[in-house]
């Protein structure tokens, strides 16, 4: 599951945290690394069976992961795959 959220959204949510607030520079570095990984197609090249990319807070809110018979499967209407 890739949280590919807009940096403004991530930084705003971080700023509202009361505990474990992350330095904005750390968030920026992480987001840049995620973006480079996505753009280079590295996750697909790794051979994962499923890559789910969540691009909005609505995608995140709609995500539901159910575990059945020792396996997980994605149930997320509108989530990009």
């Amino acid at each position: 599951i890739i949280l590919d959220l807009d940096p403004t959204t991530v930084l705003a949510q971080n700023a509202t945290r009361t505990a474990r607030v992350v330095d904005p520079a750390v968030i920026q570095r992480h987001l840049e690394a995620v973006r480079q990984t996505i753009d280079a197609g590295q996750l697909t090249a790794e051979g994962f069976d499923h890559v789910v990319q969540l691009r909005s807070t609505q995608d995140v809110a709609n995500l539901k992961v159910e575990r059945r018979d020792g396996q997980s499967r994605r149930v997320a209407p509108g989530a990009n795959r």
Side-chain angles (χ1 to χ4, degrees):
I1 297 174
I2 305 168
L3 296 175
D4 185 16
L5 303 173
D6 177 81
T8 304
T9 300
V10 177
L11 291 166
Q13 288 182 342
N14 183 60
T16 65
R17 297 176 80 172
T18 57
R20 297 184 56 193
V21 177
V22 179
D23 185 291
V26 172
I27 292 173
Q28 289 287 12
R29 282 195 309 270
H30 177 76
L31 293 174
E32 288 168 9
V34 169
R35 172 61 34 219
Q36 289 174 351
T37 300
I38 293 167
D39 291 348
Q42 290 175 302
L43 292 170
T44 310
E46 289 286 332
F48 290 104
D49 288 336
H50 301 285
V51 175
V52 179
Q53 191 171 351
L54 305 176
R55 294 186 176 105
S56 71
T57 54
Q58 189 64 40
D59 284 347
V60 174
N62 289 337
L63 180 69
K64 181 177 180 182
V65 177
E66 295 178 358
R67 186 167 180 91
R68 294 187 179 168
D69 300 324
Q71 296 183 2
S72 295
R73 71 179 182 91
R74 176 181 65 90
V75 180
N80 297 314
R81 189 174 160 204

